[in-house]
Amino acid sequence: MRNKGFKIFIVTIAIVVSIFFIAPLFWMLATSFKTDQEAFTSGIKWIPEVFTLENYTYSLSGGSDTPVFTWMSNSLFVGIAGTLIVLIVDTLAAYGLARLDVPFKKLLFAMFIGSLTIPWVITFLPLYMGFNQLGLLDTYAVLILPYSANAFGVFLLYQSFKAFPKELEEAAHLDGANKWQVFTKIALPSARPIIWTLAIFTFMSIYNDFLWPLLTTSSPEMRTITTGIAIMQQGSFVSSPGRLMALTAIATIPVILIFILGQRSFIKGVTQTGIK
């Protein structure tokens, strides 16, 4: 009876927490199908009285006022490019620290871990000044390069490569495999769930970032979807919550699709690493 009661309690808590996460999303979708008049006057009403797609058609065909496809393509390009760079750099760094005879690797690993304690806001101004002096503001480089080194990814993959069975590595060397072949054909496939987890975390972090793209880009064609939504919130959509919610709903589609595609590997990777 105690175990059954405990399970019921845990399930109840999970349902309550899930409602807190789902309710804002449901409210966003409901508002995106409302007219502006209903959105302003209906109060808390979860189902629109009259469903309308005008908010979506206007947001998707807004022209130069709301270049949604340009903003979305910028966010997708920056997110994918930044994620690929992080995966390449972090897998190489983590494998080198975990399995190779790298000089001062304990010190290097301690520096990686120590960098996780540094708040992002402290590095913001030096990064901005550096990109400004290089003339890279309002370019794709300023949107991608700050994410190219991820100490959290190195730490995550280091744990996986450190636990990699040494016997498999020795067997591969006996079969004539070099270190690169061991890395690409044995170590990387075994860490696939962790790599998927890192990829999803990294893409979501880059795609959802707001402050850095807002301050480092100025032209409309270089804006990302997050900065575009913020501009429209203070601009022509300030009196149109339905259109603003429709634009926000469109922005969530890529993140949801990527999570669905990598859901199994993501859950497996989170389980293996103990991330909550």
Side-chain angles (χ1 to χ4, degrees):
M1 289 294 294
R2 287 185 177 181
N3 291 335
K4 186 176 181 180
F6 181 73
K7 289 181 179 179
I8 294 175
F9 174 75
I10 293 297
V11 171
T12 303
I13 294 296
I15 293 174
V16 172
V17 172
S18 65
I19 290 174
F20 278 102
F21 282 98
I22 295 174
L25 296 177
F26 189 80
W27 175 259
M28 175 189 69
L29 289 175
T31 306
S32 68
F33 292 108
K34 294 179 181 178
T35 62
D36 290 336
Q37 181 180 2
E38 183 181 357
F40 275 117
T41 60
S42 63
I44 301 178
K45 185 177 291 185
W46 296 98
I47 300 177
E49 293 181 357
V50 179
F51 282 84
T52 176
L53 295 175
E54 190 274 337
N55 296 322
Y56 286 92
T57 56
Y58 183 88
S59 298
L60 292 174
S61 60
S64 58
D65 185 27
T66 55
V68 177
F69 292 107
T70 300
W71 295 341
M72 288 286 289
S73 61
N74 286 341
S75 293
L76 289 174
F77 174 73
V78 170
I80 293 172
T83 301
L84 290 176
I85 294 174
V86 167
L87 292 180
I88 294 172
V89 173
D90 286 8
T91 51
L92 291 171
Y95 185 77
L97 291 173
R99 311 300 299 187
L100 303 180
D101 294 328
V102 179
F104 309 108
K105 66 178 183 180
K106 290 185 178 180
L107 177 61
L108 292 174
F109 184 70
M111 292 174 61
F112 277 117
I113 301 302
S115 66
L116 293 174
T117 63
I118 301 176
W120 161 252
V121 68
I122 293 179
T123 63
F124 189 93
L125 183 59
L127 279 174
Y128 182 89
M129 295 176 62
F131 281 108
N132 185 33
Q133 292 178 356
L134 293 173
L136 295 178
L137 294 181
D138 204 34
T139 64
Y140 285 115
V142 76
L143 295 175
I144 296 174
L145 293 180
Y147 308 101
S148 58
N150 189 329
F152 173 74
V154 175
F155 171 74
L156 197 67
L157 290 164
Y158 175 87
Q159 303 301 321
S160 176
F161 290 140
K162 193 70 176 177
F164 182 72
K166 190 176 181 180
E167 293 77 12
L168 292 178
E169 188 176 0
E170 293 175 349
H173 286 307
L174 291 175
D175 290 338
N178 55 35
K179 293 182 179 180
W180 177 254
Q181 290 173 328
V182 172
F183 170 67
T184 56
K185 296 183 178 180
I186 300 178
L188 281 183
S190 68
R192 185 177 296 135
I194 313 298
I195 294 175
W196 260 109
T197 302
L198 177 60
I200 294 176
F201 274 132
T202 303
F203 179 83
M204 292 178 63
S205 176
I206 299 175
Y207 184 87
N208 294 326
D209 196 7
F210 167 70
L211 184 60
W212 181 254
L214 178 67
L215 297 181
T216 56
T217 58
S218 55
S219 58
E221 61 272 11
M222 289 303 302
R223 294 291 189 186
T224 59
I225 189 65
T226 53
T227 57
I229 291 173
I231 291 173
M232 299 312 299
Q233 183 184 9
Q234 302 296 326
S236 59
F237 283 11
V238 66
S239 59
S240 181
R243 294 174 181 176
L244 185 63
M245 290 299 102
L247 184 60
T248 306
I250 294 170
T252 61
I253 294 175
V255 176
I256 294 175
L257 289 177
I258 287 180
F259 179 78
I260 292 174
L261 292 175
Q263 182 180 10
R264 290 185 179 180
S265 297
F266 174 76
I267 294 175
K268 187 176 180 181
V270 170
T271 304
Q272 289 181 0
T273 54
I275 298 177
K276 298 182 181 179

